[in-house]
């Protein structure tokens, strides 16, 4: 008798956790991803600001699952799902399944203005991080060349759209690049005079945190020289700046951190999705009408459990639950109780020796918060080697103010000026 086949689309936090949860189950697991690596997204901003190299925050999927004998990894692009034949269409071939797990994540949302993407890249993949790093470093190089003061000022203006964790972390890190790492490296410009502007449409930044911690983040950013604009909507973006509802901001670099939209998984299935494109799933994370199909992480919104954040711990909890549920069904055992998300807390760094942590009643700020944030992120990295490398890199950067990944790689023709 053939063993049941489980297909997992997406090798992010949720997909990897689902695959690992099926390690001892008598079935065959196929993981499909268009990339050959799993990316630790919480640290992508450090790649984008030259603190870490891409290899420090990404690992080959095959290496992660190399010891799992029932797992097969395929690097392929999914184009559709046939729910009648129970197969996934990828790279022109059909991959059959008995159980399907959709862990396809999310991408940047430009709220109906996808044309802004070229001028304002977001931060979701390694390619995004290296592109943003290139933009940031080239801005200083071009400013060193120009003689027109207005153009130089524009090149040294960095606009970050979105005041959530990603936007705050990017703003703090760019400030440190300009005021510390590059401060002594140029002769015609003063990098410390760079203008970093964080733009938030809501009334305050970091809305997921209590107001006192949100205020602390704003004060800390302002001490680092970051301008914080709240209650300010972006009307349009182009290669030379941002149009705001209250005027124009000329900028050489624009970074988008304002929102996300789910992958096209709902379109593949032809089922209902919410406004963010997420599949509406039941309490067992299955798609209504398709008990053999599950959606997890940023791909799903659970009916009756609104407000689950799009963060790694949530995706991992969902992936683990679905893995246990499928294993129980295959073994003929009772299914686990309905999924309940356990929020472990919120944390974000604002830069060197400054972070905010909220775990239940525990609130940490400043150096103690930064130390806690560092330990948590190092712990969740995959592999002992990477934990040592990142820990040593952070210690070296902290002591020397240097960033070791300040490389400008090949510049695509579209970005040449």
């Amino acid at each position: 008798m053939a063993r049941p086949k489980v297909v997992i689309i997406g090798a992010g936090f949720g997909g990897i956790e689902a695959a690992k949860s099926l390690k001892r189950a008598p079935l065959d697991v196929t993981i499909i991803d268009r990339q050959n690596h799993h990316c630790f997204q919480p640290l992508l901003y450090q790649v984008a600001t030259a603190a870490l190299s891409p290899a420090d925050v990404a690992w080959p999927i095959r290496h992660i699952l190399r010891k799992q004998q029932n797992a097969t990894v395929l690097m392929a692009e999914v184009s559709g799902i046939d729910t009648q034949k129970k197969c996934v269409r990828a790279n022109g071939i059909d991959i059959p399944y008995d159980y399907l797990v959709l862990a396809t994540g999310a991408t940047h949302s430009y709220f109906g203005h996808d044309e802004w993407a070229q001028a304002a890249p977001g931060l979701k993949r390694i390619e995004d991080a290296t592109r943003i790093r290139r933009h940031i470093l080239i801005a200083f190089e071009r400013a060193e060349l120009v003689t027109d003061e207005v153009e130089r000022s524009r090149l040294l203006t960095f606009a970050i759209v979105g005041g959530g964790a990603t936007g705050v972390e990017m703003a703090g890190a760019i400030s440190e690049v300009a005021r510390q790492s590059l401060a002594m490296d140029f002769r015609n410009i003063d990098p410390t005079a760079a203008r970093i502007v964080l733009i938030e449409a809501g009334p305050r930044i970091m809305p997921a945190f209590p107001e006192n911690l949100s205020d602390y983040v704003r004060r800390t950013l302002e001490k680092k020289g970051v301008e914080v604009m709240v209650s300010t909507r972006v009307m349009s973006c182009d290669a030379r700046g941002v149009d705001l509802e209250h005027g124009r901001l000329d900028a050489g670099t624009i970074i988008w951190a304002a929102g996300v939209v789910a992958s096209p998984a709902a379109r593949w299935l032809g089922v209902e999705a919410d406004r963010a494109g997420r599949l509406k799933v039941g309490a067992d994370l299955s798609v209504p009408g398709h008990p053999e199909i599950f959606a997890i992480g940023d791909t799903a919104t659970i009916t009756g459990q609104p407000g689950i954040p799009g963060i790694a711990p949530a995706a991992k909890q969902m992936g683990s639950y679905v893995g246990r549920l499928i294993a129980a069904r295959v073994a003929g055992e009772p299914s686990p109780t309905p999924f309940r998300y356990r929020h472990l807390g919120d944390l974000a760094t604002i830069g060197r020796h400054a972070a905010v942590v909220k775990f239940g009643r525990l609130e940490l700020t400043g150096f103690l918060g930064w130390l806690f944030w560092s330990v948590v992120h190092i712990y969740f990295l995959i592999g002992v080697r990477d934990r040592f490398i990142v820990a040593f890199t952070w210690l070296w950067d902290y002591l020397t103010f240097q960033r070791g990944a300040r490389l400008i790689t090949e510049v695509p023709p579209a970005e040449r000026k």
Side-chain angles (χ1 to χ4, degrees), residues 5 65 157 175 195 210 228 255 325 359 382 399:
K5 296 178 176 61
L65 299 174
T157 298
S175 173
R195 185 184 180 193
V228 179
I255 299 168
L325 187 150
F359 279 146
I382 296 176
L399 294 175

Side-chain angles (χ1 to χ4, degrees), residues 58-354:
W59 306 269
I61 303 166
R62 295 183 186 280
H63 180 76
I64 296 171
L65 299 174
R66 67 193 184 282
K67 295 181 180 179
Q68 186 166 332
Q69 295 300 314
N70 68 344
T72 299
V73 178
L74 299 178
M75 180 179 170
E77 183 88 22
V78 173
S79 56
I81 297 169
D82 189 329
T83 56
Q84 297 298 318
K85 296 181 179 179
K86 289 190 176 182
C87 65
V88 174
R89 189 74 173 172
N91 284 34
I93 63 172
D94 290 334
I95 303 167
Y97 66 83
D98 295 298
Y99 297 96
L100 176 63
V101 181
L102 300 169
T104 44
T107 187
H108 329 296
S109 172
Y110 293 90
F111 308 109
H113 296 279
D114 291 345
E115 68 275 11
W116 297 352
Q118 187 60 37
L123 187 60
K124 280 293 181 183
R125 302 187 299 160
I126 288 290
E127 293 86 349
D128 300 328
T130 54
R131 178 186 175 190
I132 291 172
R133 180 182 68 184
R134 185 169 62 241
H135 280 203
I136 293 171
L137 297 177
I138 285 178
F140 289 98
E141 297 293 344
R142 288 177 176 159
E144 178 82 349
L145 284 171
V146 301
T147 56
D148 180 77
E149 288 299 325
V150 174
E151 177 64 6
R152 178 175 288 174
S153 176
R154 186 190 72 83
L155 287 169
L156 292 179
T157 298
F158 301 85
I160 301 99
V161 183
T166 300
V168 165
E169 290 171 343
M170 282 298 304
I174 293 173
S175 173
E176 292 181 350
V177 169
R179 288 162 173 75
Q180 296 171 2
S181 302
L182 302 181
M184 305 292 291
D185 289 9
F186 293 85
R187 299 296 174 263
N188 297 326
I189 63 170
D190 178 11
T192 65
R195 185 184 180 193
I196 299 101
V197 184
L198 180 62
I199 305 165
E200 167 58 36
R204 63 187 178 95
I205 59 174
M206 300 296 286
F209 284 82
E211 191 167 350
N212 64 308
L213 294 182
S214 175
D215 290 341
Y216 168 81
V217 172
R218 178 168 183 165
R219 292 195 306 271
T220 304
L221 283 174
E222 290 173 344
K223 287 178 182 178
K224 292 177 176 290
V226 177
E227 298 178 38
V228 179
M229 294 183 179
V230 295
S231 301
T232 303
R233 292 178 57 204
V234 170
M235 309 307 292
S236 66
C237 299
D238 57 56
R240 298 188 63 82
V242 182
D243 287 315
L244 308 173
E245 57 184 334
H246 305 304
R248 170 79 176 178
L249 175 65
D250 291 328
T253 301
I254 308 167
I255 299 168
W256 192 266
V260 296
V261 63
S263 70
R267 193 162 64 247
W268 292 339
L269 297 177
V271 298
E272 186 180 8
D274 68 1
R275 292 177 60 185
R278 297 174 298 183
L279 283 160
K280 295 182 178 181
V281 298
D284 65 350
L285 306 185
S286 67
V287 177
H290 299 280
E292 76 286 358
I293 301 178
F294 304 88
I296 60 177
D298 290 336
T299 312
T301 181
I302 306 173
T303 303
Q305 290 191 52
I308 296 179
I311 56 178
K316 294 181 73 169
Q317 288 180 35
M318 292 181 185
S320 176
Y321 174 88
V322 166
R324 288 185 286 111
L325 187 150
I326 292 173
R329 286 190 185 177
V330 170
E333 299 174 354
S335 297
T337 56
F339 175 80
R340 287 291 173 186
Y341 169 64
R342 293 178 293 105
H343 188 56
L344 303 178
D346 297 293
L347 63 168
T349 181
I350 319 163
R352 180 183 168 85
H353 68 251

